[in-house]
Every structure is written in C-alpha cells, then in structure tokens.
Amino acid sequence: MIDIAESFRTAVHLISSGDSEFWAIVFLSLQVSLSAVAIACLIGMPVGASLAVSRFRGRRAVIVAVNALMGLPPVVVGLAVYLMLSNSGPFGVLQLLYTPSAMIIAQLILVTPIIAALTRQTVETLNEEYADQLRSLGVSRLRSVPTLLWDGRFALATTVLAGFGRAIAEVGAVMIVGGNINHVTRVMTTTIALETSKGNLALALALGIVLILLAFVVNGAVAMLDTTSRQVAHV
Amino acid sequence: MFDRAPMFDDMAADGRPVTQSWELLEVEALGVDVSGMTLLDIPALQISSGGPTVIMGPNGAGKSLLLRLLHGLAVPTRGCIRMHEQPLSPRLCRRQAMLFQSPVILRRSVRSNIEYALAAHGVSRRARAGEATKLLDMAGLGGRARQSGRSLSGGEQQKLALLRALATRPEILLLDEPTSNLDPASILAIENLLLNAARAGTKLILVTHDLGQAKRLGDEVIFLHKGRVTEQTPIEIFAKSPNSAEGAAYLSGLLLV
C-alpha cells in the first residue's frame, strides 16, 4: 500500500516536473496517433460518405464488412503490418519496421474502418433529410458528398475523436511494429506495459494518468462541440 | 450555365405578363404501381405555361407523388412525362425547382443557403453574393443573413426555402403544400413571393387543400382522386361548380374515401 502511494507521489512529480524523457514519450504518442487519425480521416470520410449516398449491388455486404473491420484485433493488425514491412515482406525495402511510420500505418489500419463506418452512419442519416432537396437543386450524388460532410461536421467531429481514442489507447499493434525502442518508438501504452512488468510503477502510473486525462479532454471536447453546435443551431 | 427565367425586376407591375401559353408539361399513360396497388394512373394530362396550376384532392389521392414525378424525384412504373415536348431529363429538371411541405434548411447561414443553390446552378462566386443580398432584402431577411438558417422560425424557414428555390430562377416551381403549417402572416408573405414569381414568368404548380389559397393563387385546378385526374378546370368554375362528382363532394365537405 505504501509502495502504491509512493509510486503515485513520484508519478505526480514526474508529470509536474517537466521530465524531458517522460514528455518525449507523451509527444511521440500524440504525434503517431494524430498522424494516423488525420490520414484515416482523409481516407475514411470520403469512403464512408460515398458509401452512404451510393446505391450499388453488394452495398449492404460492403457496409457489413466495414462495420466488422471496426473490431479488428490490434495484435493481428500488428502481425500483418509486421509481415508486410519485415525484410522478407513486400514492403521490406522501405525499411519502415521499428519506426514511428510503421506505428502510424498500424494505427491507420485500425482507425480507418472506425472513421469510415461512423461517417457512413452520420452521413446516411443526414442524406435521408437532404437527398430530395439536393436532387431538386440539381446536385448529383457524388457532388452531394462534400455538402454532407460539411453540414455533418459537428457530428463527424465526434467520429474523429472516437478514432483518436482508439488510436491513442492502442498497445498491441504498435508494440509489434514499433518494438518499444527507447527514444525511437516508445509510446505511452507500450511504456506502461513494459514499466509495469519491470516493477517501475511510478512511470507507468504517470503515463496512465496522462492517458486518462487525455480521455477526459477528448470527451470534454465532444461535449463542448455538442453544446456549440446546438448554440449555433446547426444541428 | 442553364437557361434562367426572368427575375423580379423584369416583371410587370401587375397582372401576369403571359400573353400566350403553350404545353409546358405533358403526361402520357403515366402510372405508378406499388405492391400490386395502383397509386397513380393518368392516361393524359397537359399543363400549360400560363397561370398557376393548383392540384387538389383528398389525402392519398397522389398529389405529392405527381409533383415528385414531374420533378424527376420519383420514377413511374409506366408512361412518360415530357417538358417542352422532350422526355423529362436531369437537364430539364434543372429548369425546375421544388418547395417541400417541410423546408429542408442546410446546416449553414441564411445567406449560405441561398448561395449554395446559386453555386449549384453555376453562378459565379462574385455574382452569388449580390443575388443573395437582393433576394434576402426583398423578403425582409436581409438583417438575418449571417444567422444560422435553422434558427429561423417555421415561417421564415419556409420563406428561406422559397427564396433558395427562386434563386435558381426556375421555369417551373413545384410547391407541395408550402403553407400548410404556417400562420396567416407567414402565408401572406409566402403567397406574395409566389405571385411575384408568377408575374415574372415562373410557372407555379401548387398542391394545396386550401380552396381560398387555390382561388388567390391559381388559374386552373387539377383534381385528383384515388390516383386519377377527375377534372382539369379553371379555378372560377371549379370553385362554383366542379365538373366531377368527386370535386363537388370534396368542396361540399363530404368525406371522400
């Protein structure tokens, strides 16, 4: 009990003292996850919105597949990316394994289906309201995609934050493709796993506190966006 | 760029400037069947370019469905619709606009709602601002241009939706019970805008249950019952003595089933 209390005190000190090694881990985590989410938005949002407005044979099956991909097991994604990027894999020549880029790729694969599936849901609901009006104005289905993405921006912000939540909290995939190398690929989740196994509870606790704070910040941002959108009556 | 109908500043001070009319829309052997039920069956119907046409009839008669078919929003099971003697196509539908019973206001400002319609019809960015200002000022919404469109009252939202439709300068404006949920002041404002549009040469095709509105706005009535046109009559005649038993029963307040 005393150990836990002491570890907690040391953790708080680590956070407040501005320890450069500690904050480097936090910043690398943010850099990797934000990059993955940004790229996932560029891919997932147009795909999700196009899926929402298009009508083609097999559309239902594609939607089911995208929804199913939301639950991809991170370690399996990590293994797949590892195989692709290893020296004997098809992309081995790029020498990306055990770099932040490999971690971004792994998180991208995990987050893109989430962004695409949630965007599809949001845009489909909005399209039910807009479809006749947009067609009446002579806007084609394809051209309605940017309109629907823009008008659904407040709801889609929640989607982005959900994707970020998944990315920042992920451990299995980044552990496999990043290797948890100190000062290179060590992020919050992998460090917590490693330091806990080593018995260095203070560092693990400090990073855990930052992760939880990030979760609060993300949820707070969602709540604020919701309030703001209602205030400006764009809902 | 599409063919744009005259704007309000081109219109005559009073009365409709239409001195001659021609067949604007033609319907031939039009039918819509759903699950073995015939929802609409119109062997032939012509709508001329003259004064406003009002479509009346009890609920479920097929009024809204006919309007959607004329605007290309619904596909018939059989038959065809022609506009200017050509089969209805997306290109021809762009020369129409439609106002729905419940206005669909985009999640953006009042001004942006109008500018969006102008952009969709290929109006240059520079011209959009001027046209939007002109329309909003004309309807008394100029002071609320930067406000969110969805924060307007129901009547104002319908007015905005009408301005957005008129911004595209449609040759034909289809209206599906546009004032059914509005108070008298809002109805008057909407009707004044519609009369101005009609005077400027826009053909109005209006669905309404309100005979008073039909008399105020319409030149002729198409009466629908159970998916069939029972009569197409000038409004003065329809209001006094409808040609069909269904029309007479409707006006006398009998419940048509």
Side-chain angles (χ1 to χ4, degrees), chain A residues 21 25 79:
Chain A
E21 194 168 337
I25 294 169
L79 178 62

Side-chain angles (χ1 to χ4, degrees), chain B residues 12 61 94 100-101 113 117 166 180 182 216 247:
Chain B
R94 282 175 70 83
F100 300 91
Q101 188 175 355
N113 264 274
L166 292 173
S180 60
L182 305 183
R216 288 192 297 274

